């Protein structure tokens, strides 16, 4: 019986301590992805470019960058960072109108980032998403993830952690737009 209980806890521990993420993808990223510093990616535990998220469509002025944990390097909590950069004039749109048309009802204004910005916390797709506009460019930063639990299902990451992440990434991205 002790062997069975010990085996159960060993399996639970191994599952809990399993490193999150994937092996290094070495995926090529669009130039716009360099807006996020490597040190920031390391601090947010998302050092691995996610090729399933990366989109580079300059004809429509859209560039999407995504990162996830590098297995064995970024801990055992799953984190994902996504940065979408859209040049509204390249798509034949007005950035102010695009931003206003896509603004969720639960968005809160953020000051000091670009010409205008808002954040949505604890939304349906992520615990934090921040959208900002500078001129005709719009950047949307999303940070999401799960925290590994020793006994039980993984739980959504804390909203304050996600909020701090999107705000810090936005502070890097805004001046470079």
């Amino acid at each position: 019986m002790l062997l069975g209980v010990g085996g159960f806890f060993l399996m639970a521990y191994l599952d809990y301590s399993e490193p999150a993420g994937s092996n290094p993808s070495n995926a090529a990223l669009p130039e716009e992805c360099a807006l996020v510093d490597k040190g920031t990616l390391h601090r947010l535990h998302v050092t691995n470019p996610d090729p399933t998220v990366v989109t580079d469509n300059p004809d429509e002025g859209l560039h999407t960058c995504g990162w996830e944990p590098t297995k064995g390097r970024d801990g055992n909590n799953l984190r994902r960072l996504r940065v979408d950069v859209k040049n509204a004039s390249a798509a034949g749109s007005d950035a102010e109108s695009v931003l206003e048309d896509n603004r969720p009802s639960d968005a809160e204004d953020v000051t000091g980032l670009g010409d205008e910005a808002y954040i949505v916390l604890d939304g349906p797709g992520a615990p934090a998403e921040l959208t900002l506009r500078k001129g005709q460019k719009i950047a949307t930063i999303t940070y999401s993830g799960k925290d590994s639990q020793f006994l039980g299902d993984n739980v959504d990451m804390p909203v304050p952690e996600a909020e701090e992440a999107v705000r810090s990434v936005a502070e890097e991205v805004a001046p470079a737009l």
Side-chain angles (χ1 to χ4, degrees):
M1 179 153 156
L2 285 177
L3 210 51
V5 171
F8 170 77
F9 280 108
L10 176 63
M11 294 304 290
Y13 175 76
L14 291 174
D15 185 49
Y16 164 74
S17 62
E18 174 73 20
S22 306
N23 292 324
S25 70
N26 300 317
L29 295 174
E31 184 179 311
E32 283 71 15
C33 297
L35 296 172
V36 182
D37 183 72
K38 288 183 181 190
T40 300
L41 297 174
H42 180 70
R43 181 176 56 81
L44 298 178
H45 306 287
V46 289
T47 59
N48 198 11
D50 184 351
T52 65
V53 175
V54 174
T55 305
D56 192 21
N57 192 340
D59 292 340
E60 293 185 21
L62 179 63
H63 308 279
T64 300
C65 312
W67 297 269
E68 65 178 357
T70 301
K71 192 170 192 162
R73 183 186 309 162
D74 290 323
N76 63 337
N77 292 323
L78 179 64
R79 297 291 183 261
R80 289 199 169 95
L81 175 66
R82 177 177 171 149
V83 178
D84 296 288
V85 178
K86 182 172 185 71
N87 184 341
S89 60
S93 303
D94 175 62
E96 285 185 67
S97 300
V98 170
L99 197 67
E100 194 57 40
D101 291 346
N102 293 303
R103 183 187 173 110
S105 60
D106 57 346
E108 299 174 24
D109 288 329
V110 175
T111 58
L113 293 172
D115 297 325
E116 60 183 307
Y118 61 79
I119 190 168
V120 176
L121 299 175
D122 210 11
E129 181 175 279
L130 191 147
T131 301
L132 67 100
R133 178 186 68 80
K134 185 174 177 186
Q136 286 295 353
K137 291 191 177 181
I138 299 170
T140 301
I141 299 117
T142 307
Y143 191 63
S144 61
K146 296 279 188 184
D147 280 353
S148 185
Q149 299 295 300
F150 180 62
L151 292 173
D153 294 333
N154 294 344
V155 297
D156 290 337
M157 70 179 297
V159 172
E161 178 187 341
E163 179 181 10
E164 187 280 324
V166 297
R167 286 179 184 271
S168 68
V169 171
E171 288 171 4
E172 283 184 36
V173 169
L177 287 180

